[in-house]
Amino acid sequence: MKIRILEIGAGSYFKQIRPSQVDYYQIGKKAPDATNMTFRLFCGLKRKLACGEYDVVVASFYGICSTPWRRERNAISNLIQILRCCCGRFHAFGPWIILGLVQGTSVPLIVVDRKDDPALIPPQFFGLLKKCRTYYWREMPVKIENGFMFTTGRMEDTSAVRKTEVFRKNHAKIKPISLGLKYDEAARSIDPSSPKDIDILFIGTCKGEMSRETGVKLLEELRREGFAVEIILGRGIPRKEFLEKCARSWLVWSPEGHGWDCHRHYEACMVGAVPLINYPRILRYRPLIDRVHAFYYGVEGDDLKRVAKQALADKTALHAMSVAARRHVLEYHTDDKLFEYVFGA
């Protein structure tokens, strides 16, 4: 029997994967294409949870979901915001709504935090962390206490963080999760064994990011040395065209963006290319392993150029890596596989 899931959050995720199993309601910012939470809906969902109509509640976030009370505002401003939420903006109560729904019920709560940056648990999520069974975190720092800096006024002192009750009682609940990828019709239509005529591909923007600007210069140096390097800056292209270009490439440069984890890491693997990624700064779920599924480089100096040349020197080995990478990604990192990882179903 399939489990019934109630997803509450700032941007649906699981509803898009298994629409028949998941009911989704929007909190935080109002969304025109979603059912925004109201007090009436809240009361109806509370009754359904009490009657056992849902097996699990998942708090799903791709960005920060604020509550009306924010510590950087003064008390009067916070009270005004709360009054506004009571007068027609109920959805803006944010994570408080989820805590109110599960309070007094036996239905387990799972949190899935897929936001980009920073690699911190926002203070408004601590209530969810305390209440939940598991907290899945995409940008989970290697030194996990760094993510708990908001628990103490001594933000530079991780030893103080480790002494806080919220850290001691809840850090073991946290598990990594990847951003994953959509293995959709466009992806299935791409032949991963397409002939390769591009040595290194990069499609993206720099927008003042120093490591990307430096990387583009290094790729241009490789092109002047005779490598087939294709760089498309500053504009997006249709998804299918992007995947086709990746399939024609030996290497796809995939520097981190707002977060270290990136769709492009997995999309490159999915269509038969090998991603070229800067060394990670997070604890990863089922990671792409260096020189097994991907090549990693340091952002210092010309390490990107050195690693790329080394990878392209043995294209037989590179092809074997691409096969292993595709197998790994399809086994662990598609949206369907991540659904199974979170819910075991």
Side-chain angles (χ1 to χ4, degrees):
M1 184 177 177
K2 293 182 177 180
I3 62 171
R4 290 290 301 162
I5 299 163
L6 175 60
E7 181 180 12
I8 310 289
S12 68
Y13 177 54
F14 297 106
K15 176 68 174 178
Q16 298 176 51
I17 303 170
R18 301 278 179 89
S20 63
Q21 283 183 250
V22 182
D23 292 334
Y24 173 73
Y25 298 94
Q26 176 87 10
I27 60 171
K29 291 184 178 180
K30 198 169 185 178
D33 57 346
T35 304
N36 298 284
M37 184 63 71
T38 64
F39 181 68
R40 185 175 181 180
L41 275 173
F42 174 87
C43 294
L45 291 172
K46 188 80 174 174
R47 287 192 295 270
K48 288 182 178 182
L49 288 168
C51 294
E53 292 191 28
Y54 292 104
D55 300 297
V56 62
V57 176
V58 58
S60 176
F61 301 105
Y62 190 73
I64 301 293
C65 185
S66 296
T67 53
W69 191 281
R70 292 164 59 178
R71 63 183 184 176
E72 68 268 22
R73 290 196 300 238
N74 62 46
I76 294 174
S77 296
N78 280 323
L79 288 172
I80 291 171
Q81 291 301 318
I82 289 174
L83 287 172
R84 286 177 175 172
C85 291
C86 292
C87 299
R89 296 178 63 236
F90 185 78
H91 57 274
F93 276 113
W96 292 357
I97 292 172
I98 301 171
L99 291 172
L101 280 172
V102 299
Q103 189 66 39
T105 75
S106 59
V107 181
L109 171 66
I110 292 173
V111 180
V112 179
D113 179 352
R114 301 173 68 245
K115 69 181 186 300
D116 286 321
D117 262 348
L120 292 166
I121 299 177
Q124 58 267 40
F125 285 11
F126 282 131
L128 299 173
L129 175 64
K130 293 174 185 177
K131 186 69 177 176
C132 74
R133 182 177 68 188
T134 312
Y135 191 109
Y136 293 95
W137 193 2
R138 167 190 159 195
E139 293 291 307
M140 181 178 176
V142 173
K143 189 176 181 181
I144 191 172
E145 52 265 48
N146 286 344
F148 284 74
M149 288 300 190
F150 285 123
T151 60
T152 173
R154 298 165 62 190
M155 289 187 65
E156 77 286 353
D157 188 354
T158 54
S159 63
V161 171
R162 289 193 294 271
K163 294 173 185 175
T164 62
E165 183 178 7
V166 67
F167 177 81
R168 288 187 291 103
K169 290 188 175 180
N170 297 287
H171 73 275
K173 295 178 181 178
I174 301 175
K175 295 182 179 181
I177 191 169
S178 71
L179 187 55
L181 60 91
K182 294 186 184 300
Y183 191 43
D184 54 13
E185 190 173 320
R188 289 186 175 90
S189 69
I190 306 298
D191 181 3
S193 61
S194 299
K196 310 287 189 186
D197 60 346
I198 302 171
D199 287 326
I200 309 174
L201 172 71
F202 175 62
I203 301 173
T205 60
C206 291
K207 295 182 179 178
E209 294 182 47
M210 291 178 60
S211 62
R212 287 194 177 201
E213 290 175 348
T214 301
V216 167
K217 291 176 182 176
L218 292 171
L219 294 185
E220 289 172 343
E221 287 180 14
L222 286 170
R223 181 160 54 194
R224 287 193 291 270
E225 292 178 22
F227 291 92
V229 176
E230 183 166 345
I231 302 171
I232 301 176
L233 292 176
R235 64 180 179 86
I237 65 174
R239 174 174 165 79
K240 187 172 181 181
E241 183 182 344
F242 167 73
L243 295 176
E244 286 172 344
K245 282 186 176 292
C246 288
R248 290 167 44 207
S249 305
W250 287 104
L251 295 172
V252 173
W253 184 40
S254 189
E256 67 175 89
H258 294 294
W260 182 88
D261 203 33
C262 176
H263 286 299
R264 181 168 42 208
H265 299 349
Y266 309 106
E267 288 171 331
C269 297
M270 176 178 62
V271 295
V274 174
L276 183 59
I277 316 170
N278 58 281
Y279 284 119
R281 55 180 173 82
I282 61 170
L283 188 66
R284 298 163 293 161
Y285 167 68
R286 298 288 185 176
L288 298 170
I289 298 171
D290 190 23
R291 298 174 190 270
V292 176
H293 309 116
F295 279 95
Y296 291 88
Y297 67 92
V299 296
E300 304 84 5
D302 64 351
D303 199 48
L304 169 61
K305 182 178 174 182
R306 179 189 65 82
V307 172
K309 290 174 77 170
Q310 189 179 70
L312 292 166
D314 187 349
K315 290 183 175 175
T316 301
L318 201 53
H319 172 71
M321 281 181 63
S322 72
V323 173
R326 185 172 192 272
R327 186 185 306 119
H328 181 81
V329 162
L330 293 182
E331 186 173 357
Y332 297 112
H333 294 286
T334 65
D335 286 342
D336 274 328
K337 294 297 184 180
L338 292 175
F339 185 98
E340 294 172 7
Y341 168 54
V342 171
F343 299 108

